[in-house]
Amino acid sequence: FSPRFYLLQQGIFDHNFSQGLDLQQLYGLGAGYTAIKNAKQQLDLTGVVDYTRQAFAASGSVLNVPPNYEPAYTNNIIGSAFGDNYVRKFPKKIVFTEIATFNPAWNHFSDYSANVAVGATFPVFKNFGFSVGLIDSYLNDPPPGFKGNSVQFNTGLTYAISR
């Protein structure tokens, strides 16, 4: 609609062994607003109305999945996703990113989740870089025997395609 206000759609697919989440599918439509945008940083705020389907494993069944496997139970959730996306460029082409979302449910008020991801990319040689990141996922309703909070530490190599 304008350089700062836009519509968006999202599709998210997630599997998390420690939370007993076989597959979470999220489909949504919403709006976003660019609150800060300059040469050094950008902050986008978003709000989405979504449908989420969660398929959970029975305790221990994730390790030995039979060919005709059915999930232990599923949740069908109508909810929202409220989030931000922040990018900050530092000297020497170091880039910091942060993404956070909170997902309340409107048809099952006790179901909600939250995700936070932070990372940084450091240039190494020409267009190659080294990246480090941390992802924290919280799910308030994991099956018995599984954890609600999952923390991941990631490292990797990146290649930037420049024009």
Side-chain angles (χ1 to χ4, degrees):
F1 293 114
S2 74
R4 291 197 181 256
F5 182 70
Y6 53 90
L7 294 178
L8 62 99
Q9 63 183 14
Q10 67 181 14
I12 298 172
F13 303 94
D14 188 17
H15 166 76
N16 193 310
F17 176 79
S18 67
Q19 294 174 321
L21 187 60
D22 280 350
L23 179 62
Q24 175 173 277
Q25 306 170 58
L26 184 145
Y27 308 96
L29 296 169
Y33 176 71
T34 302
I36 300 171
K37 185 171 186 174
N38 57 45
K40 290 186 178 182
Q41 62 186 346
Q42 181 170 334
L43 172 64
D44 292 317
L45 305 172
T46 59
V48 174
V49 174
D50 58 48
Y51 164 74
T52 303
R53 182 177 190 275
Q54 297 172 322
F56 290 99
S59 295
S61 68
V62 176
L63 297 177
N64 300 309
V65 178
N68 57 352
Y69 174 73
E70 290 291 326
Y73 69 93
T74 60
N75 281 343
N76 291 295
I77 299 170
I78 302 298
S80 293
F82 302 103
D84 74 357
N85 186 350
Y86 180 70
V87 177
R88 171 75 183 202
K89 297 176 184 174
F90 289 97
K92 301 191 182 196
K93 298 186 178 182
I94 297 171
V95 178
F96 170 80
T97 59
E98 179 270 339
I99 300 169
T101 58
F102 173 66
N103 306 85
W106 304 118
N107 61 334
H108 301 283
F109 290 117
S110 64
D111 287 342
Y112 61 89
S113 62
N115 298 288
V116 175
V118 294
T121 302
F122 304 90
V124 176
F125 177 74
K126 296 196 178 197
N127 289 359
F128 287 95
F130 175 73
S131 63
V132 294
L134 183 73
I135 300 170
D136 187 359
S137 299
Y138 178 77
L139 186 64
N140 79 316
D141 60 348
F146 290 96
K147 303 290 182 186
N149 197 47
S150 171
V151 178
Q152 302 170 40
F153 178 72
N154 303 302
T155 61
L157 296 175
T158 61
Y159 182 79
I161 299 173
S162 59
R163 298 178 189 200

